[in-house]
Amino acid sequence: MATFYFALALFLLLNLFAGMWRVLRGPTAADRMLAAQLFGTTAVAVLLLLAQVFGNAALIDVALVFALLAAVTAVAFVQRTQPNEEVEHDAE
């Protein structure tokens, strides 16, 4: 079963090369951000596979931290690229 997990991890790492192509070529910032999200998701998946193979619970904790960082990165990107609309409230 460990061989199967290593094969899955290798497949995921090969998918990162496809994502790297999108990061380098663009064409938009959103495409690049989605490719960066792919890196975070793939890192989480690889860490979870390796945690299963080696029986190392610390790798699961690292995967959780990566997942949280990926979510924060996505929120920061949206906040930064969102048009700046100020909402005016009527003062009564």
Side-chain angles (χ1 to χ4, degrees), residues 86-92:
E86 294 184 20
V87 177
E88 294 183 21
H89 295 286
D90 292 333
E92 293 183 38

Side-chain angles (χ1 to χ4, degrees), residues 4-21:
F4 177 69
Y5 287 145
F6 279 125
L8 281 175
L10 180 63
F11 175 73
L12 290 171
L13 291 175
L14 290 175
N15 280 328
L16 284 180
F17 288 111
M20 182 58 80
W21 176 258

